[in-house]
Amino acid sequence: MNDNHFKFSNAIIGLPAFFVLLLWIIYWMQIRFDFDFYQHGIYPRDFSGLQGVLFSPFIHENLEHLYNNSIPLFVLLAALQFFYPKQSLAVICYGILFSGLITWIIGRSNFHIGASGLIYVLVSFIFFKGIQTKYYRLVALSLSVILLYGGMIWYIFPDVDAAISWEGHLAGFITGFGLSLYYKTPEYSKPILYDWQKPDFDPQQDAFMKHFDENGNFVNTETEEENENNNPESYFNSTIEVNYIVTKSESGDKF
């Protein structure tokens, strides 16, 4: 493949900027008008707590919580939009949905809020998808994500920090991995140059491969008739009887 798939557009900056700005506007409304948004978070295994599947990523406890989520969100959303523009919107929407549902199933009986679950979706998806494509630029992106956010892996385990929702982090990580398997990226696949690279290639029908056995040893498959036709000497052999007459000329030369 070529690198023409990587094209800069306004959406690369616009999408993450809009998302992060929306989080700050919601938090400003929360503290300005003293809204209690916490009750709209995910409350596990409670029917009313299902509303948090959609609302929890936009709710934050305090300014530090919002700030810590804003920078990774902006960076990861920009990377997702630049390298995976065809899958970006689906990854965001389904990432929020499925990570929220998993959190609702496995979470502790408490309100789970914050965009950290979506951050884990993005980290997981970008890392695993890059490794799966085996394309050097995307593999480099995967390694860069691990370099920047690899330490986050510890926060998907219980008891590392009782104040955080490790269930939401784990749900996001699982969701991102699942989405990386589901969404294919054929635009990053290596182009097919030879017949043997095609998925429907049958070596038993290939003229060249017929000359090798199952162990890779050369086998002469030509028939005797083919050998005679391919032998240059066959053009000078004849079964027709030829009689030669030799005469003597007046000069004494023989023909």
Side-chain angles (χ1 to χ4, degrees), residues 11-27:
I12 295 173
I13 301 299
L15 176 65
F18 173 79
F19 197 95
V20 172
L21 180 61
L22 180 61
L23 299 184
W24 282 85
I25 292 175
I26 293 174
Y27 181 74

Side-chain angles (χ1 to χ4, degrees), residues 120-194:
Y120 275 81
V121 170
L122 298 175
V123 169
S124 179
F125 177 84
I126 293 174
F127 171 73
F128 287 112
K129 190 76 252 180
I131 299 300
Q132 292 164 16
T133 60
K134 299 179 182 179
Y135 179 57
Y136 73 100
R137 288 186 181 273
L138 299 181
V139 172
L141 175 64
S142 298
L143 298 179
S144 299
V145 167
I146 290 300
L147 181 64
L148 291 174
Y149 303 111
M152 295 169 52
I153 191 66
W154 300 110
Y155 295 98
I156 68 174
F157 300 107
D159 303 327
V160 174
D161 188 344
I164 65 173
S165 174
W166 65 267
E167 300 95 330
H169 298 169
L170 178 60
F173 188 83
I174 294 173
T175 300
F177 175 69
L179 292 175
S180 73
L181 296 176
Y182 180 77
Y183 285 104
K184 306 302 180 182
T185 53
E187 63 271 24
Y188 296 138
S189 301
K190 293 183 178 180
I192 296 177
L193 301 177
Y194 308 100

Side-chain angles (χ1 to χ4, degrees), residues 69-91:
N69 283 343
S70 295
I71 296 178
L73 261 181
F74 185 90
V75 173
L76 293 169
L77 285 173
L80 180 71
Q81 183 63 31
F82 182 71
F83 290 98
Y84 303 99
K86 296 181 180 179
Q87 298 82 16
S88 60
L89 186 59
V91 170

